[in-house]
């Protein structure tokens, strides 16, 4: 059997080129892998180990088994922080998504200068988690803030909203709703993908605007709603900066703004109880994973993928 001349040479040439490509790929991916193991995976495993120890950052960790996890069930401030966090998440996230969807529908009508409006509305998402905005928020809802100055125009005497236990958490919810820019942009992209022919056919059949919204827009947007819901839930559970700055790091007044992450910070870096803080971090991971799993399980009953 005759061998075609040059075939072996070409195969060796391709093999050498493929090896060179593989080496280049490994070289360019190396920083990501280093970051994964050094910055993410390494501390993750270390915190899991520390969660079973008594560790104060100054002495060697002392293995105590499940004691940190057992302590959580008797920690009233931890249970209160869970209640505050769940209240914050379950109220502010739906309101934020509703505001984002409403603004996306308005912008989808083809306004002039759409790019400018989109940038302006997206800006709060970039700034909402910053220390500067949290300080500004504390001033706006303070005793002499803009809110009380506005109420004074109507003869209403305001109060220090961020210093009142019944209203302090509500101000943080408003701040989270205000950062609707990121989900709004995603909703807007989803609206642009819905074929206009669907609306035209429904209009010919006599469907009203509200009926078209319920029967066309919402079903076709459910994958986008689900995506935004998962992202915003995860982000809301991890909220920290707003409560820390507005309350001065105390979670007050009367622990009304004591987010779970803020209490974790207090235990780890305030009381140097790093073992307990590590256990709290893993509990938060389990809670977020559980909420995400519930959302994925429930999605099959209300998310429409069109297949």
């Amino acid at each position: 059997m005759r061998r075609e001349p040059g075939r072996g040479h070409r195969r060796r040439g391709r093999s050498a080129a493929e090896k060179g490509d593989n080496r280049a790929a490994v070289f360019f991916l190396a920083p990501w892998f280093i970051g994964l193991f050094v910055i993410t995976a390494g501390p993750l495993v270390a915190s899991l180990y520390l969660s079973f120890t008594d560790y104060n950052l100054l002495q060697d960790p002392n293995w105590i088994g499940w004691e940190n996890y057992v302590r959580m069930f008797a920690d009233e401030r931890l249970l209160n922080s869970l209640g505050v966090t769940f209240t914050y998440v379950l109220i502010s996230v739906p309101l934020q998504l509703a505001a984002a969807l409403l603004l996306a529908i308005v912008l989808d009508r083809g306004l002039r200068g759409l790019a400018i409006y989109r940038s302006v509305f997206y800006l709060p998402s970039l700034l909402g988690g910053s220390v500067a905005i949290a300080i500004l928020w504390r001033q706006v809802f303070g005793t002499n803030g803009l809110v009380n100055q506005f109420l004074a125009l109507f003869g209403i005497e305001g109060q220090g909203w961020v210093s009142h236990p019944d209203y302090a958490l509500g101000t943080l919810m408003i701040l989270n709703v205000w950062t609707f820019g990121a989900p709004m942009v995603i909703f807007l992209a989803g609206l642009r993908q819905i074929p206009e022919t669907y609306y035209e056919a429904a209009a010919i059949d006599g469907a009203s605007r509200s009926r078209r919204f319920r029967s066309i827009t919402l079903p076709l947007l459910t994958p986008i709603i689900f995506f935004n819901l998962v992202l915003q839930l995860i982000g809301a559970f991890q909220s920290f900066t707003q409560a820390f700055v507005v309350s001065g790091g105390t979670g007050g007044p009367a622990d009304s703004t004591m987010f779970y992450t803020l209490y974790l910070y207090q235990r780890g870096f305030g009381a140097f109880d790093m073992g307990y803080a590590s256990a709290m971090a893993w509990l938060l991971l389990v809670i977020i994973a559980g909420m995400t799993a519930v959302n994925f399980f429930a999605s099959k009953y209300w998310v429409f993928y069109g297949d």
Side-chain angles (χ1 to χ4, degrees):
M1 181 176 180
R2 295 183 58 187
R3 300 179 61 183
E4 182 179 342
R7 179 179 294 180
H9 177 72
R10 288 196 299 271
R11 187 161 51 244
R12 287 193 298 271
R14 286 198 300 269
S15 178
E18 290 173 356
K19 290 181 179 179
D21 291 341
N22 291 337
R23 285 195 294 268
V26 171
F27 175 78
F28 284 110
L29 287 173
W32 184 87
F33 280 112
I34 293 174
L36 173 64
F37 290 108
V38 175
I39 300 177
T40 303
L44 193 67
V45 174
S47 70
L48 179 61
Y49 165 73
L50 291 176
S51 70
F52 294 98
T53 66
D54 179 15
Y55 181 47
N56 61 7
L57 293 176
L58 302 177
Q59 299 173 332
D60 293 335
N62 179 35
W63 183 270
I64 58 175
W66 294 93
E67 185 175 325
N68 286 327
Y69 293 94
V70 174
R71 282 174 56 192
M72 293 181 184
F73 294 99
D75 191 339
E76 293 184 1
R77 295 195 74 193
L78 183 144
L79 298 177
N80 174 74
S81 69
L82 283 175
V84 170
T85 303
F86 270 98
T87 302
Y88 171 80
V89 171
L90 297 179
I91 294 178
S92 67
V93 170
L95 292 177
Q96 181 195 55
L97 295 182
L101 180 57
L102 177 62
L103 265 296
I105 292 173
V106 172
L107 295 179
D108 188 50
R109 296 184 176 181
L111 298 176
R112 285 187 176 183
L114 176 60
I116 297 177
Y117 284 109
R118 188 167 51 199
S119 300
V120 170
F121 287 132
Y122 182 72
L123 193 60
S125 290
L126 299 177
L127 302 177
S130 66
V131 174
I133 293 298
I135 294 175
L136 176 63
W137 213 256
R138 185 173 61 185
Q139 298 299 321
V140 168
F141 286 93
T143 304
N144 299 317
L146 291 177
V147 173
N148 285 342
Q149 292 179 18
F150 176 77
L151 293 176
L153 297 176
F154 302 93
I156 301 175
E157 183 178 356
Q159 57 183 313
W161 303 96
V162 294
S163 59
H164 196 290
D166 294 336
Y167 305 112
L169 182 60
T171 63
L172 297 182
M173 292 180 185
I174 296 174
L175 176 56
N176 190 49
V177 174
W178 181 65
T179 60
F180 58 79
M184 182 206 68
V185 171
I186 298 174
F187 277 136
L188 184 58
L191 289 170
R192 294 297 176 87
Q193 299 302 313
I194 300 177
E196 191 65 28
T197 54
Y198 291 175
Y199 296 105
E200 294 173 355
I204 293 174
D205 290 338
S208 63
R209 286 179 179 270
S210 60
R211 182 56 185 269
R212 277 176 275 172
F213 176 76
R214 295 195 309 270
S215 301
I216 298 175
T217 305
L218 274 183
L220 294 181
L221 271 185
T222 49
I224 308 297
I225 296 173
F226 173 66
F227 176 78
N228 275 331
L229 177 63
V230 171
L231 287 186
Q232 298 309 314
L233 277 176
I234 294 174
F237 271 111
Q238 297 176 324
S239 296
F240 169 79
T241 304
Q242 303 94 319
F244 181 84
V245 174
V246 169
S247 69
T250 64
D255 283 352
S256 60
T257 60
M258 181 63 78
F259 285 176
Y260 187 85
T261 51
L262 178 55
Y263 185 53
L264 189 156
Y265 171 83
Q266 290 182 353
R267 296 307 306 172
F269 296 96
F272 293 103
D273 194 356
M274 191 59 68
Y276 189 59
S278 298
M280 289 181 61
W282 275 92
L283 176 60
L284 178 62
L285 175 64
V286 170
I287 292 173
I288 293 176
M291 292 290 291
T292 305
V294 169
N295 278 316
F296 271 93
F297 175 78
S299 66
K300 63 182 179 180
Y301 297 105
W302 64 275
V303 178
F304 174 73
Y305 288 106
D307 55 359

